[in-house]
Amino acid sequence: MKKISIILIAVLLSSIVSKADEGMWIPMLLKKYNIEDMQKKGFKLTAEDIYSVNKSSLKDAIVIFGRGCTGEIISDEGLLITNHHCGYSQIQSHSSVDHDYLTDGFWAYNKSEELVNQGLSATFLIRMEDVTKYVLDEISDNLTERERKDKIKTAFAKLEKENSEEGKYKIVTKPFFYGNEYYMFVYQEYTDVRLVGAPPSAIGKFGGDTDNWMWPRHTGDFSMFRIYADKDNNPAKFSKDNVPYKPKRSLDISLKGVKKGDFTFVFGYPGTTMEYLTSYAVKMISGVENPHKINLRDKRLAIMRAEMDKSTKVRIQYSTKYARVANAWKKWIGENRGLMKLNAIEKKQNLESEFTTWVNTDVNRTKEYGTLLNQYKDIYSELSEYKLAQDYVFEAAFATEIVMFTRNFNALANYDNISKEQQAKAIERLRKSSDGFYKDFYMPIDKKTFSTLMPLYKKNIDAKYHPKFFSVVDKKYKGDFNKYAEFLFSKSVLANKEKFNTFLDKFSYKKALKDPAFIIYNDIKDVYLKELNDKIIELNDKLSLLNRKYMKALMEFQKDKIFYPDANFTLRVAFGQVDDYFPKDGVKYDYYTTLDGIIEKDDPEIYDYRVPEKLKELYNAKDYGRYAENGKMHVCFTASNHTTGGNSGSPVLNANGELIGLNFDRNWEGTMSDIMYDPDQCRNITLDIRYALFIIDKFAGAKNLIDEMNIVE
């Protein structure tokens, strides 16, 4: 009886904890599961106001920006706002030493000045639908995981054919709760998206990678774009005849600001979370994978930073690459610290112990679930070795840029068997792709990266996962990767653009095969395909079955708990409240920052902390317009909304559904929220929309953009 009582208490406690601002909820199910809780916490609208297929709703103002961020529409002329770091690669692509938009910022004071971005898209959700019964109609327990995947893939294809309206819509169907449920998403994608405005990096990226994932934060992390359509408001490729998109809905913008305890919600596209992992998985991630990946990226960042500090040109070339490498590196560090502080593994083990007790109290449960956790233990024990080798393949071996670029040669494997015309087109495609590659390539960085990371691969990974060229390094260069790097970068045709273009003029696939960079690429690929890929797929297939069973079992075990599905880059609602937090004993962080903090951090000697003179002038004059609060210019604030990557650029909305800020980060102490959420430590970091408006209006003088918006005083 005591054991059963303990289980019931644990279930009740877990039900309570799930309501403590944790969760990324499916919009179409808010009415069923969440709206009452949201309204009790202060929300003043209805579930239908957030998501509806019958009328205009807030979902119609939210877009997938590019391939990994969220954006929102803020005018009836298709004006879109997202994070500066989400638009960073577009800003960087238009930048040069002569037109350094990263340093100086960019503003279009009329539509003719807006800049075209090849390959950029903004994607709207038209509707979503629970298609679980349709997808699983022919699925039985006696199928292998491979057979199951094939049948599900066939069902996905049928859904796409039946709902795309001959290509008008993009259909994406995804598993939820590890394949216990499936939802279909109908999207419409617009591909003419133009750059409208971006503050200088000294505002949009203030604090750089030093402040990334940190609080207090003073970053004006926003950029602006505009969606264009054809004359009928339909998606269209870029054309001078295209016109600004007319949205079904744009967001009202509030100047009211926030107070501690205010209701907030984030509406966007969170990328990936893993809240239901077992203790064995968390052990592998925190104890095996993260430490090695952190060390490898630490080396890469030091190499890039040393060269970027020497040259403005190199800084521009590598700014996006550096940010991408640094983002995950710092997140993994914070994640490991958070998991340790939270005793995440122990808490997972406690849940598993309670789960085991529950399973063993029933014969049928014991038969169905009795061996689940032991199977997990065995699989993760075996998988750890393969995952570590895989991490070194991608984080070390494929970190060399010229090695990765040789992948493009694979498309020319049949070069000698195609017509002269086809050959010419193939070479032109390769030459065009190389233009972008060499624009942002600096050989000394790549050379140093190779000679630094390859010895770590050799040292830390079992010899059976070593690529063949390691034996050449040993025999011919006595294990000296520095000497081998001299050979590689002096002999490879990819070491500089001139040599590569000369090679393309008389291209031969046979010669390409002999290039040392291509040899390295193929050697690494062989190791991955022959020694790692199949085994990892096999073990992941086993995990897929276990995860599906374990998720089903957890839902039975904690039947009173409202479960939310892990993030999978589909539209979600996360709600909470504006709040401060205590990161450690004796330290309290307030919930907002102001322009005062930016001036305090000003350091002309450090690129990331050089406050623009114009901003200092506005500060000294206290010329904040209508955007200040009690004489202070607020910059950022924190709240308890559960967010992750992909939520970058997501609108943060108040109880009336008005835009009050842009989500752009999490606090370092809370980055473990992808695996385990802690209501006391997990905070999303939001750019106060009033600071963005202040920069647009008073700093940039882009009143043309302010005039487009519906601003609520």
Side-chain angles (χ1 to χ4, degrees), residues 32-87:
K32 182 177 181 181
Y33 293 121
N34 311 105
I35 195 62
E36 288 186 11
D37 190 24
M38 292 175 71
Q39 290 169 341
K40 286 177 183 177
K41 292 181 177 180
F43 187 54
K44 297 178 181 178
L45 303 180
T46 67
E48 186 88 349
D49 291 321
I50 296 175
Y51 174 89
S52 176
V53 294
N54 300 312
K55 67 174 186 176
S56 168
S57 61
L58 291 173
K59 79 153 172 68
D60 297 315
I62 315 301
V63 301
I64 298 173
F65 180 82
R67 294 291 178 263
C69 281
T70 304
E72 50 271 12
I73 306 300
I74 54 172
S75 86
D76 62 2
E77 294 187 80
L79 188 63
L80 178 155
I81 191 166
T82 187
N83 286 157
H84 185 272
H85 73 261
C86 292

Side-chain angles (χ1 to χ4, degrees), residues 2-214:
K2 285 185 178 180
K3 287 184 178 179
I4 294 174
S5 297
I6 290 170
I7 292 169
L8 288 174
I9 291 169
V11 171
L12 289 172
L13 286 175
S14 66
S15 299
I16 294 169
V17 170
S18 70
K19 294 183 179 180
D21 298 339
E22 179 182 359
M24 300 172 179
W25 305 98
I26 301 173
M28 67 176 285
L29 300 179
L30 290 176
K31 187 174 183 179
K32 182 177 181 181
Y33 293 121
N34 311 105
I35 195 62
E36 288 186 11
D37 190 24
M38 292 175 71
Q39 290 169 341
K40 286 177 183 177
K41 292 181 177 180
F43 187 54
K44 297 178 181 178
L45 303 180
T46 67
E48 186 88 349
D49 291 321
I50 296 175
Y51 174 89
S52 176
V53 294
N54 300 312
K55 67 174 186 176
S56 168
S57 61
L58 291 173
K59 79 153 172 68
D60 297 315
I62 315 301
V63 301
I64 298 173
F65 180 82
R67 294 291 178 263
C69 281
T70 304
E72 50 271 12
I73 306 300
I74 54 172
S75 86
D76 62 2
E77 294 187 80
L79 188 63
L80 178 155
I81 191 166
T82 187
N83 286 157
H84 185 272
H85 73 261
C86 292
Y88 198 76
S89 61
Q90 282 73 39
I91 303 165
Q92 188 255 2
S93 70
H94 291 295
S95 296
S96 64
V97 174
D98 294 331
H99 298 284
D100 188 355
Y101 297 136
L102 289 176
T103 299
D104 303 328
F106 170 80
W107 303 98
Y109 294 100
N110 58 66
K111 295 181 178 66
S112 65
E113 296 176 352
E114 297 171 359
L115 301 178
V116 178
N117 301 284
Q118 294 294 331
L120 180 61
S121 62
T123 306
F124 292 88
L125 175 67
I126 305 302
R127 62 183 174 88
M128 59 187 298
E129 182 180 338
D130 184 346
V131 292
T132 305
K133 290 182 180 179
Y134 185 97
V135 171
L136 299 181
D137 182 52
E138 296 183 10
I139 303 299
S140 60
D141 291 338
N142 60 356
L143 294 176
T144 65
E145 281 300 295
R146 189 57 45 193
E147 291 170 337
R148 188 179 194 276
K149 285 182 179 179
D150 288 342
K151 283 188 174 293
I152 288 172
K153 187 177 179 180
T154 299
F156 284 6
K158 289 180 180 178
L159 285 170
E160 181 176 7
K161 185 176 181 180
E162 293 168 2
N163 293 278
S164 67
E165 296 188 18
E166 298 182 349
K168 179 180 180 180
Y169 298 118
K170 179 181 178 181
I171 308 301
V172 176
T173 305
K174 290 191 174 184
F176 287 67
F177 298 115
Y178 291 105
N180 283 292
E181 296 177 12
Y182 288 85
Y183 288 79
M184 177 183 70
F185 299 84
V186 179
Y187 295 112
Q188 191 165 37
E189 184 179 61
Y190 286 77
T191 56
D192 186 355
V193 184
R194 305 179 196 180
L195 178 62
V196 173
S201 292
I203 293 174
K205 203 174 183 289
F206 184 78
D209 295 295
T210 302
D211 283 4
N212 190 25
W213 299 107
M214 305 301 286

Side-chain angles (χ1 to χ4, degrees), residues 240-303:
K240 292 181 179 179
D241 296 327
N242 285 350
V243 296
Y245 168 72
K246 296 296 181 185
K248 298 175 185 175
R249 180 72 171 263
S250 63
L251 298 180
D252 294 336
I253 301 173
S254 173
L255 295 184
K256 298 172 186 175
V258 296
K259 298 288 187 295
K260 182 178 176 179
D262 281 357
F263 174 87
T264 61
F265 74 104
V266 176
F267 202 11
Y269 286 85
T272 303
T273 58
M274 301 169 286
E275 303 291 340
Y276 306 106
L277 291 179
T278 64
S279 61
Y280 307 107
V282 178
K283 278 184 182 178
M284 183 181 76
I285 292 169
S286 62
V288 179
E289 292 190 275
N290 282 357
H292 285 271
K293 292 192 293 185
I294 289 166
N295 182 53
L296 290 171
R297 292 205 173 194
D298 193 46
K299 307 293 186 190
R300 289 176 68 186
L301 290 167
I303 293 166

Side-chain angles (χ1 to χ4, degrees), residues 362-375:
D362 182 270
V363 174
N364 292 327
R365 288 200 295 261
T366 302
K367 182 178 179 181
E368 187 171 3
Y369 304 130
T371 63
L372 269 179
L373 292 173
N374 284 333
Q375 290 181 69

Side-chain angles (χ1 to χ4, degrees), residues 401-416:
E401 294 176 75
I402 64 168
V403 170
M404 282 303 285
F405 188 73
T406 60
R407 290 179 302 171
N408 292 280
F409 290 159
N410 289 326
L412 299 175
N414 295 319
Y415 183 80
D416 294 330

